[in-house]
Amino acid sequence: MSDLAARQAELVEALTAGKPVPAGFDGFRVEAARVALLRKRAGEVSRQWPMLAASFGERWKREFGGWAAARPTQGSLRDGWDMARDLHSRGLLHGPAAEELAEREARLRYNGNATPRPRRTPALRSAAGAVVVQFAGRVRVIRRPT
Amino acid sequence: MADQYGVGIGWRPEIDGFVAELPGLRFAEVVAESVHAHGDLPAGLSRLLDRGVTVIPHGVRLSLGGAEPVDPERVRHLAAVAGRLNAPLVSEHIAFVRAGGIEAGHLLPLPRSREAVDAVVANVKRAQAELPVPIALEPIAALFDWPDDELTEADFLTEILDRTGAGLLLDIANVYANARNRGDDPLELLDKLPLDRVAYVHVAGGDEHDGLYHDTHTHATPQPVLDLVAELCRRHRPPALMLERDGDYPPAAELRTELDAIAAASGYPAIT
């Protein structure tokens, strides 16, 4: 690996994976860039996952920034998906955000490692207060009567 | 671009309706990675092309400044999109966006070193070999510099342009941001750049956080950036200048005001 390649990799790791700032760089400025990058990612994820973002209200950018600080981006669709699954597994995903995840899970197959693909078979997912049914690519959300 | 296009705007799906209704629009740009190489074009983009608006594909993920060779698949995509849009040129950045298999999620600056110049030049030449039209290169806004810069910004850019024959996509807001954050005079850079090589110009807004100016594209264009547009056009007026807005879209009236301000600063006719 060339010197430039190694140094570029070091810098990207400092900005995305919680690694130390490489020697000689202005730590304050690299930190400002790291935070700006997380804010930009939060904005992109909120466009793909509006209900997930809305569930945090004003705290969205900070919460996403905390979750994503040591997780380099896999693209905003997968970033939001991974965060939603993580929250779901800890019982912290509720309401429209849970429905949004269930709807995606019914529509697309995502193994956590590669680009989500449309499901070819019918799927059924339940979320807080709702059931999501996907058949032949069409998705319906059936809410339980309250 | 030989033609005089005047004032344009970056097409984004969120402002599709607004862009479609700009009566004087002759020039727009679209993020190349957001366009399918072979599927249908977004309807709004097709309508612009039908109207005779020139649409430039603007790549953001090629990573021309990466130490590794540029991904041929990404170059093929950019070439295919240029063909679909019948674009007279394409543009990309002098930056890297990934390294060691990790995506940075943003445009990152290069060291202004001989080694970096060689890396960029090699990648631009690889891309040029596959592209059907010329490429214009955009210097980025950087919040930080590398510790071992050997060249001035003007020398760094000029050497890359000279060795590749590429055009310059000058982002005047980036010139402003970098000068402000480094404590330099932006006019000094304008005076040293080969302004006759400018293919077109980006104009955008930003915001200050903790003493650093961030080129966000989500705020209105500040007056000092418009003043720089006027200074640039006094020296050498580029064939086209366009507003870049990438989020927190304001009401149509505010976008029109910004486009009119760019027209006024450059001396081109208003397109609104």
Side-chain angles (χ1 to χ4, degrees):
Chain A
M1 191 188 270
S2 75
D3 183 44
L4 182 63
R7 297 179 68 213
Q8 287 184 338
E10 249 188 336
L11 184 60
V12 170
E13 289 201 317
L15 289 166
T16 63
K19 297 287 172 62
V21 175
F25 283 87
D26 180 326
F28 171 75
R29 286 180 177 236
V30 173
E31 174 62 12
R34 190 188 73 82
V35 172
L37 212 134
L38 286 169
R39 268 202 303 270
K40 177 169 169 255
R41 281 178 65 188
E44 289 165 359
V45 171
S46 74
R47 282 194 281 280
Q48 291 268 359
W49 295 85
M51 295 305 147
L52 175 65
S55 72
F56 288 99
E58 294 287 301
R59 299 188 340 269
W60 163 245
K61 287 191 176 177
R62 200 171 351 121
E63 293 287 339
F64 177 82
W67 181 85
R71 292 177 169 96
T73 184
Q74 306 294 334
S76 48
L77 176 63
R78 282 177 58 187
D79 287 352
W81 206 317
D82 290 343
M83 183 177 180
R85 278 184 176 175
D86 186 19
L87 292 166
H88 179 65
S89 72
R90 292 187 281 139
L92 298 173
L93 198 70
H94 308 291
E99 227 173 79
E100 183 177 60
L101 175 64
E103 187 263 335
R104 298 283 164 88
E105 299 277 8
R107 189 191 296 277
L108 301 169
R109 180 192 307 278
Y110 173 42
N111 66 8
N113 290 308
T115 308
R117 301 276 174 215
R119 286 184 186 278
R120 294 211 199 92
T121 52
L124 183 73
R125 291 290 180 279
S126 64
V131 175
V132 180
V133 185
Q134 179 271 123
F135 186 79
R138 294 170 68 95
V139 174
R140 290 192 61 182
V141 179
I142 303 157
R143 291 186 181 82
R144 294 189 192 104
T146 49
Chain B
M1 294 192 296
D3 245 344
Q4 299 270 303
Y5 291 93
V7 176
I9 189 165
W11 181 89
R12 306 287 184 264
E14 294 89 342
I15 51 171
D16 179 32
F18 172 80
V19 175
E21 283 170 23
L22 288 170
L25 185 70
R26 295 188 56 216
F27 176 81
E29 183 192 70
V30 61
V31 173
E33 286 82 354
S34 74
V35 177
H36 286 287
H38 305 291
D40 286 338
L41 288 178
L45 215 48
S46 293
R47 278 196 296 276
L48 289 186
L49 293 173
D50 292 344
R51 269 173 63 187
V53 175
T54 295
V55 182
I56 306 295
H58 180 54
V60 298
R61 308 278 303 275
L62 274 192
S63 206
L64 289 172
E68 300 106 10
V70 66
D71 177 356
E73 194 47 53
R74 292 182 188 277
V75 178
R76 274 194 287 277
H77 179 266
L78 181 57
V81 172
R84 288 217 64 185
L85 301 175
N86 201 18
L89 82 158
V90 300
S91 57
E92 244 292 353
H93 300 86
I94 298 175
F96 74 106
V97 303
R98 68 184 67 84
I102 301 180
E103 295 287 327
H106 199 57
L107 301 159
L108 296 176
L110 298 173
R112 293 194 296 273
S113 66
R114 303 274 171 209
E115 188 187 12
V117 169
D118 290 345
V120 180
V121 168
N123 271 335
V124 172
K125 287 184 173 172
R126 287 180 188 108
Q128 285 170 321
E130 302 297 323
L131 290 168
V133 291
I135 188 168
L137 301 175
E138 177 180 3
I140 64 165
L143 287 171
F144 59 86
D145 290 310
W146 287 64
D148 47 350
D149 290 338
E150 303 165 355
L151 303 166
T152 65
E153 175 130 23
D155 289 344
F156 175 72
L157 297 175
T158 305
E159 181 157 351
I160 291 169
L161 297 180
D162 284 348
R163 283 175 56 187
T164 59
L168 177 59
L169 163 49
L170 184 63
D171 187 315
I172 202 75
N174 291 352
V175 171
Y176 171 74
N178 288 339
R180 178 163 157 176
N181 287 335
R182 289 175 188 147
D184 293 342
D185 180 358
L187 296 179
E188 224 169 89
L189 180 60
L190 284 190
D191 285 334
K192 285 180 186 153
L193 287 177
L195 297 183
D196 56 331
R197 308 264 300 262
V198 175
Y200 64 104
V201 168
H202 278 170
V203 184
D207 191 26
E208 186 176 309
H209 280 286
D210 297 331
L212 287 175
Y213 182 83
H214 293 249
D215 178 56
T216 61
H217 301 184
T218 59
H219 296 78
T221 308
Q223 189 58 44
V225 170
L226 292 169
D227 293 344
L228 269 186
V229 168
E231 288 286 352
L232 169 71
C233 292
R234 202 168 299 142
R235 286 160 172 77
H236 188 98
R237 190 165 73 165
L241 303 97
M242 53 152 279
L243 177 66
E244 274 191 301
R245 184 82 187 204
D246 286 303
D248 292 351
Y249 297 96
E254 281 176 41
L255 279 178
R256 271 195 290 272
T257 304
E258 274 200 72
L259 290 171
D260 289 348
I262 295 169
S266 63
Y268 277 118
I271 60 165
T272 55

